Amino acid sequence: MGSTTLQLPESVVGALNNAKLATKASQKVEFLGQLHELLIRSEPTHLDAVLSDIVEFQVDRAESVRKAVIGLVTAAVQVRCTAGIVQQAAACLSGLLADNVAAVVKQSAMAAHVVVRAGLALHMSAPQGSADKDSAWTAAQQLQAAISSLATSSTDTGLRMAGIKMNEQAAILYTAPEALALPDAATLVTTADTLVKVLGELLKEPGVQKLPGPVVICCIKALGAVVMQRANMVHRAMPALIALATKGIYRVPTSGDGMSPVAASCGTALKDILNRVMRSNTEATKPWQNRLNSALRTMGAAAVAESALRHIERHTARWATSSMAVAHAVHIAV
């Protein structure tokens, strides 16, 4: 805290000192909770002076204390998105990715979404460059890359899923309209392409059949989210989903088919995503309708495909009727 100590409320100084002097994990968590209440809810402007002291608790031997730090630094970014705070939060979470407790690593990975979004927001606020904001954005990108790598490098199912989720969210974030207006938009799109490609590679055979069911389902849903939220990424995300269905790796479960619960769950997840995309019938997904129809039928979901086609026909008819009514009303008005 240095020379800023005299400017801080006594309650903040007291809680911080008590946390540093406490010998029991429960006491440290209690005082960190007090700091959370004081700094996040009441006096966020003091975070700049105190956060570095709070981050020091990331090396505490108690898992509960390290988790409390994650919650506090994440909240700090949400209430006070400055370059200094984002950079400190990114450094803290990056360090905790090397924690020896998987639950701490997973919490850090999930918390990082807030930091990556904040880093990009700072970058957008200074598109022509700003030393402190550039540093914060670089730290956020490095954090994202470290977590994304878990999708392929980790042997822990939960951590692999955290990496997949980061790939999904980063790809969506980096291809948002606001991001595409930035001078370095091409770099962001290239990164997003790479992240989506990793997801697609995970679903290729024979590797996909060796993955835990939850990882496969997470990957299917991640690609589906990219397709549904980013029209400019459909061509990148869709092929892996179509291929997974047309190759018959996963099918829709039926009574007495002897399918394992894991395979059944994966087949259901894939069917649901393809059905949702087909029914969306957006300008970006329309060129894929025939392949979606064929893929669903190949995996034993002919009834689902038929239902989706009827849904599209009804929607198209309603749209045509509505358009005619509007045109007629305009004609009468003229």
Side-chain angles (χ1 to χ4, degrees), residues 239-264:
L241 295 172
I242 295 292
L244 194 63
T246 55
K247 291 183 178 180
I249 298 174
Y250 296 111
R251 297 181 57 82
V252 175
T254 56
S255 178
D257 58 14
M259 193 180 299
S260 72
V262 171

Side-chain angles (χ1 to χ4, degrees), residues 2-3 90 115 134 166 171 178-179 184 208 212 258 289 292 299 330:
S3 60
V115 178
D134 287 348
M166 176 58 81
E178 301 85 353
D184 60 343
V208 65
Q289 290 294 5
L292 285 164
M299 63 182 302
V330 171

Side-chain angles (χ1 to χ4, degrees), residues 193-328:
D193 283 346
T194 301
L195 297 175
V196 172
K197 182 180 179 180
V198 169
L199 297 178
E201 291 293 326
L202 285 172
L203 293 183
K204 286 185 177 180
E205 57 180 349
V208 65
Q209 293 152 316
K210 300 176 184 178
L211 292 175
V215 172
V216 175
I217 293 171
C218 185
C219 202
I220 290 171
K221 290 183 177 180
L223 285 170
V226 173
V227 169
M228 293 299 292
Q229 295 185 51
R230 290 290 177 262
N232 53 348
M233 294 297 289
V234 170
H235 66 295
R236 296 294 186 193
M238 189 74 83
L241 295 172
I242 295 292
L244 194 63
T246 55
K247 291 183 178 180
I249 298 174
Y250 296 111
R251 297 181 57 82
V252 175
T254 56
S255 178
D257 58 14
M259 193 180 299
S260 72
V262 171
S265 295
C266 292
T268 298
L270 181 59
K271 177 261 296 179
D272 289 344
I273 288 295
L274 295 180
N275 179 39
R276 185 182 175 198
V277 173
M278 188 171 176
R279 283 171 172 264
S280 70
N281 199 37
T282 64
E283 290 302 315
T285 60
K286 281 180 181 178
W288 294 85
Q289 290 294 5
N290 288 339
R291 277 170 283 187
L292 285 164
N293 182 20
S294 176
L296 282 168
R297 293 175 188 277
T298 299
M299 63 182 302
V304 173
E306 290 291 346
S307 177
L309 288 173
R310 289 193 296 270
H311 170 82
I312 293 169
E313 290 174 0
R314 290 193 299 269
H315 177 79
T316 302
R318 285 197 299 268
W319 183 87
T321 301
S322 177
S323 297
M324 290 176 62
V326 171
H328 182 64

Side-chain angles (χ1 to χ4, degrees), residues 62-223:
E63 176 184 340
S64 58
V65 174
R66 301 197 299 277
K67 286 184 174 181
V69 171
I70 295 171
L72 218 163
V73 298
T74 307
V77 170
Q78 291 175 310
V79 300
R80 190 161 175 78
C81 183
T82 66
I85 286 177
V86 169
Q87 193 164 2
Q88 288 186 74
C92 176
L93 296 180
S94 292
L96 288 170
L97 290 178
D99 200 277
N100 58 5
V101 178
V104 173
V105 179
K106 185 176 180 180
Q107 186 175 335
S108 299
M110 299 311 294
H113 291 252
V114 172
V115 178
V116 174
R117 285 195 296 270
L120 182 57
L122 288 172
H123 181 51
M124 288 178 179
S125 70
Q128 301 308 317
S130 165
D132 57 342
K133 292 181 179 180
D134 287 348
S135 295
W137 171 225
T138 298
Q141 286 179 296
Q142 291 172 342
L143 176 62
Q144 172 262 300
I147 295 169
S148 290
S149 70
L150 295 174
T152 54
S153 66
S154 180
T155 57
D156 181 274
T157 296
L159 295 183
R160 294 198 78 166
M161 291 170 66
I164 290 169
K165 195 66 179 175
M166 176 58 81
N167 278 24
E168 169 203 324
Q169 291 299 305
I172 291 171
L173 189 65
Y174 295 169
T175 54
E178 301 85 353
L180 295 178
L182 290 169
D184 60 343
T187 300
L188 291 174
V189 170
T190 297
T191 300
D193 283 346
T194 301
L195 297 175
V196 172
K197 182 180 179 180
V198 169
L199 297 178
E201 291 293 326
L202 285 172
L203 293 183
K204 286 185 177 180
E205 57 180 349
V208 65
Q209 293 152 316
K210 300 176 184 178
L211 292 175
V215 172
V216 175
I217 293 171
C218 185
C219 202
I220 290 171
K221 290 183 177 180
L223 285 170

Side-chain angles (χ1 to χ4, degrees), residues 7-13 33-51 54 72 75-80 82 85:
Q7 302 170 10
L8 293 172
E10 290 184 7
S11 55
V12 172
V13 176
Q34 290 179 14
L35 285 170
H36 191 290
E37 185 70 25
L38 291 167
L39 294 168
I40 304 302
R41 299 184 184 277
S42 303
E43 300 288 348
T45 54
H46 293 304
L47 281 164
D48 302 80
V50 181
L51 193 60
I54 293 171
L72 218 163
V77 170
Q78 291 175 310
V79 300
R80 190 161 175 78
T82 66
I85 286 177

